[in-house]
């Protein structure tokens, strides 16, 4: 902010659309994360047992069983065939995320997301270097490693370390020293690797990403012609490589962000002053002309941060 | 592979791909080893962490339980807990109970088993008396009041399977010479491991009777021994037909039993003498 030639990320959008509109999906997302957490906390805190269990497995209104499909998969490769209830629960969750977008789990439900978002916010404030940036496909290696470990050790391997369930189960059933795992993720994202955990390593995110490869709900750079190169969307996107093909695509290329890495967080929609992005479905065939070619001397407010 | 690489040394893409893959494989191997180590540690269930009724054998249980805690929620007595990292010894997030704190009340409808979505608690368990969570062991026979010859009987009285899982076995009280000892005695084939006895033991702090996992409390029966009396019952007669009853060998000089009750004076002369020994003894 000392640099007067550069506007802070989102400033333009706030000026143009108002603070609320420029934080719409961020607020909705936090509300959603809080909502899902509160659903589970109603029981232990207020004795209202609408939802029992935790994100690994739950029972809602005593009829709807839900199971984390990734955990069910680990059980299966570990050589155990679960009872039908758990399998039905896993199928319901898997189908739901396959339709609305696998990594919707990451940005709208997962309790670790506020933690890593918080780490990124602080990382940004402190102006730290991006640090270690593992390859994009690292998370799939981790995913494979987890499944192999489950098979070889005959156990649900990721649950031994999974910071998501450590935190979520911890909040509901008592945390012990599991908070150290959450702190480790926070510090990792803050000092070791920018967007390191959710963006590069977490096998749960990788699993849900694969699950949602063909999902319906998609963000699209429909009005990409109006992009003014402020680069704010790149600065806020936790998986910014997904934006380029859609935003910078030619007129005959789709403006849809089809990468399974996109978490459907909608932050790019928030921060874009000219409203380039919107939520739509994957069969949206509307024309989206590419933006006209331009010179390279455009100002770029958040570009350096987008690296 | 390497041959091809040599032939086209200027294929940086391929080389990079191989390098990256090697790096990823190595990274995964390290992380995987770490995970495997944790998995091994997680199997070390402490002796006093008792799994809920119907829990599969520990190894299968760790593959089956998704740590959802639904069993915990449906236990009406708050018996069950999910293990917390670094606080309870059981694998993090898995259900267990500590009998001395809150024992299992052996609910007739076994709600914990019904609630389990995965079958980590085996749904085939429909009669709680068939549960085998562990087995009670009278572990401190020096402080158990009944073992000292007093009448406490509490562990016996509270047992939901009284007179089958636990009985009071009478024996002579050598100390007083004129009383009986009513020894609490657990029968593993009937004990469910509910821990009511452990909870109720009147001794302060630790209980004299404790529920232990079968893997610790029980030995395998000695299969290389055939118990003559059982074989005889099974057969309804002597096990070997036409057996010749040889005269018993009596103790005396020349054998390794050097003293016989009442002595052997005027007794028999052994058929053979070991060199040296006979002379020594007769002196
Ligand atoms: S990447 Fe993993 S930790 Fe991050 S939001 Fe997704 S599931 Fe949660
Ligand atoms: S049988 Fe009843 S008391 Fe025992 S663990 Fe299950 S629910 Fe709890
Ligand atoms: S209900 Fe079953 S799967 Fe869930 S924690 Fe209990 S034993 Fe594990
Ligand atoms: S644990 Fe104790 S109270 Fe429970 S069945 Fe066994 S002997 Fe009886």
């Amino acid at each position: 902010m000392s640099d007067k030639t550069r506007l802070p990320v989102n400033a333009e959008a706030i000026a143009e659309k108002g603070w609320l509109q420029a934080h719409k999906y961020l607020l909705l997302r936090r509300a959603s994360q809080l909502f899902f957490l509160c659903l589970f906390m109603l029981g232990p805190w207020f004795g209202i047992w609408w939802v029992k269990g935790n994100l690994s497995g739950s029972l809602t209104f005593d009829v709807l069983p839900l199971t984390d499909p990734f955990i069910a998969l680990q059980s299966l490769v570990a050589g155990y065939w679960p009872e039908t209830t758990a399998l039905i629960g896993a199928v319901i969750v898997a189908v739901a995320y396959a339709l609305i977008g696998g990594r919707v789990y990451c940005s709208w439900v997962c309790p670790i997301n506020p933690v890593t978002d918080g780490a990124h916010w602080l990382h940004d404030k402190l102006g730290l270097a991006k640090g270690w940036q593992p390859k994009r496909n690292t998370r799939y290696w981790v995913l494979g490693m987890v499944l192999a470990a489950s098979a070889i050790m005959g156990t649900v391997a990721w649950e031994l370390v999974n910071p998501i369930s450590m935190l979520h189960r911890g909040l509901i059933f008592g945390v012990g020293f599991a908070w150290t795992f959450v702190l480790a993720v926070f510090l990792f994202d803050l000092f070791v690797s920018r967007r390191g955990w959710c963006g590069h390593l977490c096998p749960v995110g990788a699993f849900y990403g694969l699950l949602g490869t063909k999902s319906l709900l998609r963000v699209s750079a429909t009005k990409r012609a109006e992009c003014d190169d402020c680069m704010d969307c790149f600065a806020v996107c936790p998986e910014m490589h997904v934006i380029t093909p859609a935003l910078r695509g030619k007129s005959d290329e789709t403006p849809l962000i089809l990468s399974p890495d996109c978490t459907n967080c909608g932050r790019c929609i928030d921060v874009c002053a000219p409203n380039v992005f919107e939520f739509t479905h994957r069969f949206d065939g509307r024309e989206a002309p590419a933006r006209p070619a331009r010179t390279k001397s455009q100002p770029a407010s958040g570009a350096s941060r987008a690296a | 592979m390497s041959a091809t690489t040599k032939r086209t040394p200027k294929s940086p893409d391929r080389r990079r791909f191989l390098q990256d893959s090697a790096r990823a494989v190595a990274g995964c191997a390290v992380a995987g080893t770490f995970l495997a180590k944790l998995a091994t540690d997680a199997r070390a269930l402490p002796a006093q962490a008792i799994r809920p009724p119907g829990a599969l054998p520990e190894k299968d249980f760790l593959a089956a339980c998704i740590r959802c805690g639904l069993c915990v929620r449906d236990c009406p007595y708050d018996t069950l807990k999910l293990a917390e990292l670094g606080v309870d010894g059981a694998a993090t997030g898995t259900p267990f109970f500590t009998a001395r704190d809150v024992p299992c009340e052996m609910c007739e409808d076994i709600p914990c088993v019904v609630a389990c979505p995965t079958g980590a608690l085996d749904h085939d368990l429909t009669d709680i008396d068939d549960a085998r969570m562990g087995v009670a062991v009278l572990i401190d026979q020096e402080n158990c009041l009944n073992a000292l010859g007093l009448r406490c009987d509490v562990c016996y009285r509270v047992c939901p399977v009284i007179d089958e899982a636990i009985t009071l076995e009478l024996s002579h009280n050598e100390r007083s010479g004129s009383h009986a000892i009513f020894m609490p005695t657990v029968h593993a084939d009937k004990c469910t491991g509910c821990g009511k006895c452990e909870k109720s033991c009147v001794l302060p702090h630790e209980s004299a009777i404790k529920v232990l996992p079968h893997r610790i409390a029980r030995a395998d029966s000695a299969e290389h021994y055939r118990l003559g009396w059982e074989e005889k019952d099974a057969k309804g007669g002597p096990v070997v037909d036409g057996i010749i009853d040889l005269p018993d060998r009596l103790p005396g000089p020349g054998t390794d039993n050097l003293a016989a009750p009442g002595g052997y004076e005027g007794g028999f002369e052994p058929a053979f003498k070991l060199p040296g020994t006979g002379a020594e003894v007769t002196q």
Side-chain angles (χ1 to χ4, degrees), chain A residues 114-219:
Chain A
V115 175
T116 55
D117 273 3
H120 183 250
W121 177 83
L122 194 59
H123 178 101
D124 224 29
K125 278 268 173 281
L126 299 177
L128 299 175
K130 64 181 169 184
W132 179 49
Q133 294 291 291
K135 288 260 174 297
R136 277 291 153 199
N137 61 8
T138 308
R139 64 179 103 200
Y140 298 112
W141 284 96
V142 178
L143 177 64
M145 182 271 291
V146 166
L147 292 177
S150 293
I152 294 167
M153 300 306 293
T155 183
V156 183
W158 191 242
E159 286 312 289
L160 295 166
V161 290
N162 189 356
I164 306 170
S165 24
M166 292 281 173
L167 176 59
H168 196 251
R169 194 198 309 119
L171 288 172
I172 300 169
F173 288 94
V175 75
F177 285 89
W179 58 267
T180 50
F181 282 69
V182 181
L183 182 68
V185 166
F186 183 85
L187 294 177
F188 178 77
D189 265 30
L190 181 58
F191 294 119
V192 182
S193 172
R194 177 188 296 168
R195 299 253 191 231
W197 184 258
C198 299
H200 296 93
L201 297 181
C202 176
V204 181
F207 173 83
Y208 279 103
L210 289 177
L211 200 60
T213 327
K214 294 276 174 263
S215 69
L216 294 179
L217 186 65
R218 287 287 146 181
V219 174

Side-chain angles (χ1 to χ4, degrees), chain B residues 52-53 74-77 79-80 97 103-107 110-113 128:
Chain B
D74 280 9
C75 173
Y77 300 98
T79 300
L80 302 178
F97 68 96
C104 165
E105 296 289 339
M106 288 177 61
C107 314
I110 332 183
C112 50
V113 171
I128 190 65

Side-chain angles (χ1 to χ4, degrees), chain A residues 52 59 62 85, chain B residues 52-54 68-80 95 104-123 125-128 131 133:
Chain A
K52 285 190 257 184
L59 187 66
D62 284 323
T85 317
Chain B
C68 65
L70 288 174
C71 51
V72 174
R73 287 302 177 224
D74 280 9
C75 173
Y77 300 98
D78 286 339
T79 300
L80 302 178
C104 165
E105 296 289 339
M106 288 177 61
C107 314
E108 214 150 299
D109 50 348
I110 332 183
C112 50
V113 171
V114 177
C116 178
T118 59
L121 308 182
D122 194 343
H123 287 205
L125 180 73
T126 47
D127 180 355
I128 190 65
M133 296 170 262

